[in-house]
Amino acid sequence: MNDTGANVEGGRIEEAGRDNNTDIICQTEKSQSCFPKIIKKRVCSTFVEDSFSNGALCQCGAARDDHASVAVGDYFSTAIVNQWKSVQHSSEQPTDAFGEVQFAGASKRHSYFLRLSWSTEPSVMYNILTTHWGLPLPNLLVSVVGGNSRTQIKTWVREVLRQGLVKASQSTGAWILTTGLHEDVGRCVGQAVRDHAAAASSVSLNKVVALGIAPWGLVEKREQLVKPQGSFPAKYNAPNASQNSCPLDNNYQAFLLVDDGSVGRRGGETEFRARLEEYISHQRTGIWGSGSIEIPVLCMLISGETDMLKRMDLSLKSCIPWLVLAGSGGLADFLSDILENRSSAPAVPSSGEGNSEALKAPNVDLKDRVAERFKKHFPSEAQTDKLVEQALNIYQNRHLITVYQGEHESPNDFDTVLLKTLVGASKQHLSADANPYTDELKLAVTWNRVDIAKTELFNGDIQWKYEDLEDSMTDALINDKPQFVRLFTENGLNILEYLTYGRLETLYRSVPDGTLLYQLLQQCLAERLAIVERHSPSEKQNSSTRLLKDNNQDGPVKEVTLFEVSRVLELLMGDVCQPFYYHTLRLEFTSSKGTALRRASKVLRGHCKYQDLPCPDPWASLFLWAVLQNRSEMAIFFWEMAGEAVLSALGGSKILRELSKLEVENETKLSMKELAQRFENLAHDIFSSCYRSDERRSFTLLIRKSPVWGGSTCLQMGVSADARLFFSNDGVQSLLSHIWWGDMKRNTEVWRLLLTFFCPILCYTNLISFRKQDNQLEEEEGIPNDDGPDQDTNSLYGTTVFSLDDIKHLDLDSKDHRSGTIKGVPYRPPQRPFIVSRWRQFWFAPVTSFLGNVLMYFLFLLLFAYVLLVDFDPPPPSGPGVAECVLYFWVFTIVCEEIRQSIFVGTMTWRQRFRLYIKDLWNKCDLTAISLFIIGLICRMFHWSHEFGRDVLCLDYMVFTLRLIHIFAIHKQLGPKIIIVGKMMKDVFFFLFFLGVWVMAYGVANQALIYNYDPNPNRIFRRVFYRPYLHIFGQIPVEEMDVGKDWDITCTHNVTLIESGEEPCRNHESNWLVVILLVVYLLVTNILLINLLIAMFSYTFSKVQEHSDTYWKFQRYNLIAEYHSRPSLAPPFIILSHINIFIRRVIRKVPSVKIHHFVLDLEEKAANRLSMWETIQKEDFLTARIKIQKSSDSERLKRMSAKVDGVLKHLSESRDFEHRLRSLENQIEYCSSAISWVVDTLAQGSTFKPPRPPPALRDVLPSSSSSA
């Protein structure tokens, strides 16, 4: 924890070393064969005789026979060496123990293990742990050291480890480092990890990672792990611990077995463990090191012996904080004694140089007191001077040590103790201007402990500045911590100031590798870079060199810009809205893909100015960012904060459903679909609240054009997102009904429409009821009209949605009103004469247009059938006849209408309109019918293809007739049944697959058994496929298949005649097998497969029938939108409307208003009022939902549990107070006794005579005695 410059430079060096080492490490998860090449073990290379073993053992602990001949034969080196050292007397060799270990009698979960030299670089091991073994990156490293072989671990220490350390590690995402051996502290930690795993209901992301670092020579039965090729897994039978060895504990995820060449000696792993801790302390937290702080490392001392003083001294010099468990025994009690009782030592200057001098030269009296206490705690130690010096060095770094009285404190607050310990150590290095609580906040964010942040940091006592929350906000966003994001926005973070376009790009660049969004962004980035290289050949070399450097430093994702984000959103959203961020990048909306790529490659060069601009819609941008990464809680929070709740929810549902189609992982795909359905439910519920509050505004909300979502509307987004539930809402259906009926009342009977259609003069009578022109005034004055139960919605339709009559007036109006913009009060066109207005109100309503098209389509089918059956003349010059020419003209008008729908409807480019047109199934049916008709028409004009052309037209008639199904989709009873039939067609295809297998198997075998030789392809096809198919329906030619029956067909055995086409004779030898195959075939097809098909149909019917009404309401929109935009006349008279449109649009240049169907472009003031009203409805809905959740039984139980926990905490505090009072009473009693003894001594002595007698003892509570 040095100064900032040193940290940055050290981080760069370590990051570079990490990248280099990562290149060395094998990246394949299934193969670890590369470990012996990069990881070494230690082998004793010099036999140094142990004087206590009479020459049988080496000082390394191994026997003479276990050494190599070279090591034993070096007598000269042995003679001059007095003490064995690993550095000098051992050599490195490729490791021979690595892979996975399976413990006998334990669970099936395997643990990783690796034998390595103590000199192995910690960067290599850290990469193996995180990259190769896949351990989650730590947010905290807790290194538990200590233990005492002479005493047992106390019970309360076990509770601290189980309820405190392991629980805190799970909540913070920490690694726990111990020896990993089944003894002392290592066994207790392993048991705590085991208990936590057994109690956990599911595997969380921040699961407890227990890592064991043990000396290789101390592991019992280590020969079971040795295998040069690696063990996958190694069978490890853990025996009981002995004096010089100990087995591995089976509750650890990984073991690093540090080898220093010794056997049975402790402490060989200490140096490597300290270096690994120091290396990890310089790595950053979060995904790919995206966190705001370095990984905090904390050493925890439990009991311990005197040899731990050196380990602790070295660690404190690296500024690693320590937590000492007072009362655990051994070294922990000694350190807590000198640290807590330092007030008895002479005061040490606390400021400036005095403190430094005191730290460098400890007071002599202090040294004596430390030595005295050391003798008290360790009376058996002989050489104490060096140990006392180490203890004094530890005392000088006491600001990095926290003493935890675990015996008297609750282990449930252990995570808070860890936090305060790390924060207390980091505060020693803060500058004068820094906020002392910033590090504590960063740690809380890293551990995702929002409860600590709320109680300790955001309780109202601290004034937070924007600069203090900026880095933590970025950390919370990148690492998916929505509760902190909510906390920061509620406590002083201005999102408008925070989110610039540059920071938004940074968020997209932090997308983890392997995710679908990352792949899509990289694909778009590769396209843009390819355009750059293609159109800039002169700068290709320079740009490639620069990009290579950037990629090596930050990775390719660092080059992702808003253009790639826009491309991904365009891929997912399609043509439902304009591309996002094009205005920011100064790109045109109508530009093609290639043009946009070329312009973007020119704009995105060097530092872009737009990156410093604030994002105008920060919550919407963050919502898109969260949805694209499938972060549910984060997306829900951003949706709550963003405006346009209904449209945003539908947009999120659209994006997630498109992503689920591209996702490969099934679990991720299901989560995307669930979140998409959740957003659709929110859109449905919010709009229901809006509809109940104000119908007029809710209608406007559905067709309001949104600038945030690229000019899209709720209806357009809902259709694109396949939001069936949203369209089943009563408010949406009410709006569609208003549009469908136009200015006519919704309760008009169909027979009245038919009668008026054939007798148009009746529209001027009272046969059909129309809405009154002044109904808007009646609504404002509260005067009811006579519309019956639909009175409110009918009258409100005229205030929000222009009827077709209004739109036709707008066509004739000036340019000021042609866009249909609402300015304060909805615009109403000027009144026309009654005769004209009534005529238009009837004939321009979508329901009338639909009725006319249905009637004319039936006439078209009758004419088509008449031509095919009666009046199909020969080719020219004899034909075609008049009826056929009329049919051709009729089809020509249909073609003109399809061209108008596919290219000239809407405000998008013609490519976008055609793509949208071709997506519809019934439009594909229309194109198929028209294409077949053109082919048949061309072929029937020539003698050689006349019959073929007639055959094509016959097939085309079937396609035109099937088109009637779409027309009946508007019917409330027939519409759902059509949907059910469509679903059942999928079941039929699956059935045909199984049926085809049996038909093929039976048909080929049956034909080969009946006829020995028959090369006629026509007969083969009929008898192999067609005849078995007819068997299903009972048409079985028994005479042909059963040789016992007479067959009156002339046949022959002559091969020549058979090849010329004669009927071959039957084979009599295998006829018994033919009968058996027939019985089996009929049993399978008629009973098994047919009943399977019936079951599939029943399941599909019951499944779809439950939601058929929802499906029908959704499909109803497409039909209403189609006939709303169509001309009033039906084919073939529609050609008149086409001519009228051509004159208006092309010659007179009068723009059409119908291209804006279902779209309203509000002024800014009116749009703001509508958005404010929608936000109020959303807040009311969310408040009501929170109330319902709070009133639920589960929430009540949670609150009750919290209260009980509070009571228990107060009880534990009261016990602490009671303990302190008892201690105070004992001290007072001792003081009383001592004073009494002094008084008695002085009274008995004759040194001096007291002026008065000693005071008498008085009763402190006389009232109590009297009352008694």
Side-chain angles (χ1 to χ4, degrees), residues 78 127 189 200 241 248 254 321 352 373 429 481 618 734 823 987 1113 1239:
T78 305
N127 283 325
V189 172
L248 299 176
R373 295 181 184 276
H429 307 279
K481 297 168 183 176
S734 179
K823 300 179 179 180
D987 296 335
K1113 288 179 178 179
V1239 171

Side-chain angles (χ1 to χ4, degrees), residues 1041-1053:
M1041 302 181 64
D1042 190 357
V1043 295
K1045 303 288 183 179
D1046 295 332
W1047 195 32
D1048 55 354
I1049 301 298
T1050 304
C1051 61
T1052 180
H1053 291 282

Side-chain angles (χ1 to χ4, degrees), residues 302-539:
I302 300 176
S303 184
E305 299 181 354
T306 55
D307 56 354
M308 291 301 304
L309 287 172
K310 179 180 179 181
R311 162 83 164 85
M312 191 172 182
D313 186 20
L314 294 175
S315 181
L316 289 172
K317 291 179 180 179
S318 300
C319 297
I320 295 179
W322 280 73
L323 181 66
V324 177
L325 260 67
S328 60
L331 184 62
D333 288 352
F334 165 68
L335 293 176
S336 62
D337 189 8
I338 64 173
L339 292 173
E340 288 190 334
N341 296 285
R342 60 180 179 267
S343 58
S344 61
V348 179
S350 59
S351 63
E353 301 176 357
N355 194 16
S356 301
E357 293 175 359
L359 292 177
K360 293 179 181 179
N363 193 283
V364 178
D365 189 26
L366 175 62
K367 183 176 181 179
D368 295 339
R369 290 178 180 272
V370 170
E372 179 184 354
R373 295 181 184 276
F374 187 85
K375 281 291 185 181
K376 176 183 177 182
H377 288 275
F378 303 100
S380 60
E381 289 291 337
Q383 300 177 357
T384 60
D385 294 337
K386 185 176 180 180
L387 297 176
V388 170
E389 290 293 334
Q390 294 175 353
L392 288 173
N393 294 334
I394 293 173
Y395 178 77
Q396 294 165 11
N397 293 305
R398 58 187 179 274
H399 60 277
L400 295 174
I401 303 175
T402 301
V403 178
Y404 176 63
Q405 300 289 345
E407 190 174 6
H408 309 301
E409 297 184 16
S410 173
N412 295 326
D413 300 331
F414 194 76
D415 47 5
T416 307
V417 175
L418 296 180
L419 178 65
K420 293 187 177 299
T421 301
L422 295 171
V423 171
S426 63
K427 285 182 179 179
Q428 304 295 328
H429 307 279
L430 288 175
S431 61
D433 299 333
N435 190 336
Y437 301 99
T438 303
D439 286 343
E440 188 173 356
L441 175 62
K442 290 180 179 180
L443 282 174
V445 173
T446 302
W447 298 352
N448 199 18
R449 295 303 306 271
V450 70
D451 53 341
I452 296 178
K454 287 182 178 179
T455 56
E456 301 290 338
L457 303 175
F458 293 94
N459 52 11
D461 299 335
I462 306 171
Q463 296 296 327
W464 292 97
K465 300 180 181 179
Y466 169 77
E467 295 78 9
D468 301 331
L469 303 177
E470 187 176 5
D471 293 340
S472 298
M473 179 69 170
T474 304
D475 189 1
L477 286 172
I478 293 177
N479 295 292
D480 193 17
K481 297 168 183 176
Q483 294 180 339
F484 274 100
V485 176
R486 184 188 298 270
L487 187 65
F488 294 153
T489 54
E490 293 175 353
N491 291 273
L493 186 118
N494 186 2
I495 194 66
L496 291 173
E497 183 181 357
Y498 171 79
L499 191 65
T500 61
Y501 286 116
R503 182 166 275 119
L504 183 61
E505 289 182 347
T506 303
L507 293 178
Y508 278 103
R509 291 168 186 168
S510 65
V511 175
D513 296 354
T515 59
L516 178 59
L517 176 60
Y518 178 83
Q519 298 173 4
L520 295 176
L521 289 173
Q522 292 304 307
Q523 292 176 4
C524 297
L525 176 62
E527 292 179 359
R528 180 169 63 84
L529 295 181
I531 291 293
V532 172
E533 295 180 359
R534 188 184 309 164
H535 291 83
S536 302
S538 61
E539 302 178 1

Side-chain angles (χ1 to χ4, degrees), residues 623-853:
F623 172 73
L624 290 173
W625 172 77
V627 167
L628 287 172
Q629 297 187 81
N630 192 27
R631 295 182 173 181
S632 57
E633 294 186 19
M634 193 82 77
I636 292 294
F637 169 67
F638 291 146
W639 172 81
E640 294 176 359
M641 300 300 296
E644 302 182 3
V646 178
L647 183 56
S648 298
L650 292 174
S653 178
K654 163 69 175 176
I655 294 174
L656 288 167
R657 281 175 177 150
E658 294 297 330
L659 285 173
S660 65
K661 298 176 183 178
L662 303 175
E663 182 59 54
V664 180
E665 298 292 337
N666 290 330
E667 185 177 355
T668 306
K669 181 182 294 186
L670 290 176
S671 64
M672 288 179 175
K673 291 181 179 180
E674 292 176 358
L675 184 57
Q677 188 60 45
R678 185 177 178 183
F679 276 121
E680 184 180 348
N681 294 338
L682 287 174
H684 176 273
D685 296 340
I686 294 295
F687 184 75
S688 297
S689 301
C690 296
Y691 181 65
R692 290 192 297 268
S693 175
D694 193 329
E695 297 178 10
R696 178 181 63 83
R697 288 181 174 177
S698 64
F699 289 162
T700 308
L701 187 66
L702 288 175
I703 59 177
R704 180 265 316 271
K705 185 177 180 181
S706 171
V708 178
W709 286 88
S712 180
T713 66
C714 292
L715 289 180
Q716 294 173 351
M717 191 67 73
V719 172
S720 181
D722 198 20
R724 299 186 180 94
L725 179 64
F726 175 75
F727 272 89
S728 65
N729 189 281
D730 293 338
V732 179
Q733 291 300 311
S734 179
L735 173 65
L736 296 179
S737 298
H738 281 305
I739 298 174
W740 178 248
W741 287 96
D743 284 335
M744 291 181 288
K745 293 184 179 180
R746 293 171 54 184
N747 54 5
T748 303
E749 290 84 354
V750 178
W751 67 268
R752 296 175 184 266
L753 292 177
L754 291 174
L755 187 60
T756 308
F757 185 84
F758 289 104
C759 185
I761 195 67
L762 295 178
C763 69
Y764 297 104
T765 64
N766 293 328
L767 183 65
I768 298 179
S769 301
F770 292 87
R771 291 186 299 106
K772 296 181 180 180
Q773 295 293 332
D774 57 348
N775 58 359
Q776 180 183 352
L777 298 177
E778 292 177 354
E779 178 199 353
E780 294 176 355
E781 296 174 0
I783 302 175
N785 55 23
D786 55 353
D787 283 356
D790 299 319
Q791 163 257 325
D792 294 334
T793 54
N794 285 339
S795 61
L796 286 170
Y797 166 68
T799 64
T800 56
V801 183
F802 290 117
S803 64
L804 292 183
D805 184 33
D806 299 332
I807 292 177
K808 291 298 181 180
H809 277 294
L810 290 173
D811 281 341
L812 299 176
D813 231 355
S814 62
K815 295 183 179 180
D816 294 336
H817 302 290
R818 67 170 180 255
S819 63
T821 302
I822 296 180
K823 300 179 179 180
V825 180
Y827 169 75
R828 298 294 298 180
Q831 295 294 329
R832 285 193 173 122
F834 173 76
I835 297 177
V836 178
S837 62
R838 181 55 57 88
W839 181 268
R840 298 173 68 89
Q841 285 176 342
F842 175 76
W843 288 103
F844 294 157
V847 63
T848 309
S849 177
F850 170 77
L851 185 61
N853 277 272

